[in-house]
Structures are given as C-alpha cells and as structure tokens.
Amino acid sequence: MSDPSSSFSTAFADLTAAVSAAQKIVVISHANPDGDAIGSAGALVAAARRAGKTATGVLPGGIPTRMAWVAQAALFAEESQLPALLAPADCVIVVDTSSAVQLGDLADAIQACGDKLYVLDHHTRPDLAAKTLAVDTTAGATGLLVLELLEALDWPLDAALAEMLAVAILTDTGWLR
C-alpha cells in the first residue's frame, strides 16, 4: 500500500519510532475538516490513548456539525488550547495535509514545533517545515496511512477505530470509486 520509495519508507519508519517513544502526542488536521481529516485524526488519538499515551486532537475551526458523528468530541480540544498542548508534547503529528495554509491561524505555532513535528499525508506539494514528511501520494486517503501506522505500532483495532478509518477512507476515495 505504501509508496515503495526509500524516502517515504525512511520517513514512515521515523514517524513510527517517534510515536512509539512519545508519551504526549498532539494530532492536528486541516481547517474545514472532511471525513479523512476527522477519521484519521480521531483514530490516531483514540489508538494512542488505548496504548497508554496522552493524546489530543485539534481541528482548526472544530468538527462541522454534519460530521460530528464521525469521532467523539472528547478526542479533540478547542484550537485555543493548542499552545498549551504543544509545549509539553513529545510528538506533534499533522495528518491529511502538508500545507501550512490549510492550518490557518495555527500554522505558525505548529511549525515552531521543529524537531517534534511530523506529517502523515497523501497530498502533493508539502510545504510544512517538519522534521519528517511521510507523504505517500499513491495512498487514496490518509486513513490508509494511519491504519498502516497502527499496524506498524502493533496497536489493535476495535470497532470504533475501524469505523473512523472507514469514514476516512470511504469519503476520500469517493466510496471506493
């Protein structure tokens, strides 16, 4: 499933090691989040919590009302809380975008994370100043990459995680079309 290029493989291994070692994780996605953003971020936060880590998601602007059913609101903090979450975080992961402009007013604070900032995405033209850009443009959705990350970490899936990842994958692939 992953891009077989050595650059993606190396970046993905770096991300996997960082997530495994981290105790405090913040997962962020883009403004006006779609199913892939919400499902990917929500599944990664929920899985990290189940693995015993402190994890919180942030979506600029919050979850749109029509998408509130995708992930529990308790997985996400308000964007005003981001500075307080970033300071103690061991690992900050941006999912489903690698573009600073899509992070809105949060972009500067996120990019200031430097060596603890990682990106997991499937879109082209990454421009975030991150330690690691794990971008696989052959993936149909970031949810597929999050699933691969959970498998690499040997974190089990349950029905709630599978549902969030299904929404991520199905909405970004046009229901597998």
Side-chain angles (χ1 to χ4, degrees):
M1 195 279 300
S2 290
D3 182 341
S5 74
S6 61
S7 63
F8 176 78
S9 297
T10 300
F12 189 80
D14 187 36
L15 170 63
T16 303
V19 172
S20 180
Q23 289 305 307
K24 294 182 180 182
I25 299 170
V26 177
V27 180
I28 305 160
S29 195
H30 56 78
N32 301 312
D34 57 8
D36 196 16
I38 299 165
S40 294
L44 186 51
V45 168
R49 287 180 181 178
R50 289 182 189 145
K53 298 178 184 293
T54 301
T56 304
V58 176
L59 300 170
I63 299 175
T65 304
R66 74 183 194 302
M67 299 293 289
W69 60 273
V70 175
Q72 295 176 355
L75 297 172
F76 298 96
E78 297 294 323
E79 67 182 87
S80 63
Q81 296 174 308
L82 185 64
L85 293 168
L86 293 177
D90 303 314
C91 184
V92 177
I93 308 164
V94 174
V95 297
D96 199 38
T97 187
S98 49
S99 173
V101 72
Q102 288 190 310
L103 299 172
D105 294 339
L106 305 180
D108 290 340
I110 293 165
Q111 290 193 108
C113 291
D115 282 352
K116 61 183 178 180
L117 180 59
Y118 297 82
V119 171
L120 184 60
D121 190 21
H122 70 117
H123 297 97
T124 59
R125 300 189 188 131
D127 69 0
L128 282 174
K131 177 180 182 183
T132 298
L133 292 165
V135 177
D136 179 355
T137 59
T138 68
T142 299
L144 291 164
L145 300 174
V146 170
L147 175 59
E148 187 172 346
L149 178 62
L150 300 182
E151 290 172 344
L153 292 163
D154 201 26
W155 290 355
L157 288 178
D158 64 8
L161 290 176
E163 184 175 290
M164 286 184 274
L165 291 173
V167 169
I169 295 163
L170 291 170
T171 59
D172 239 35
T173 61
W175 300 93
L176 304 177
R177 278 186 248 148

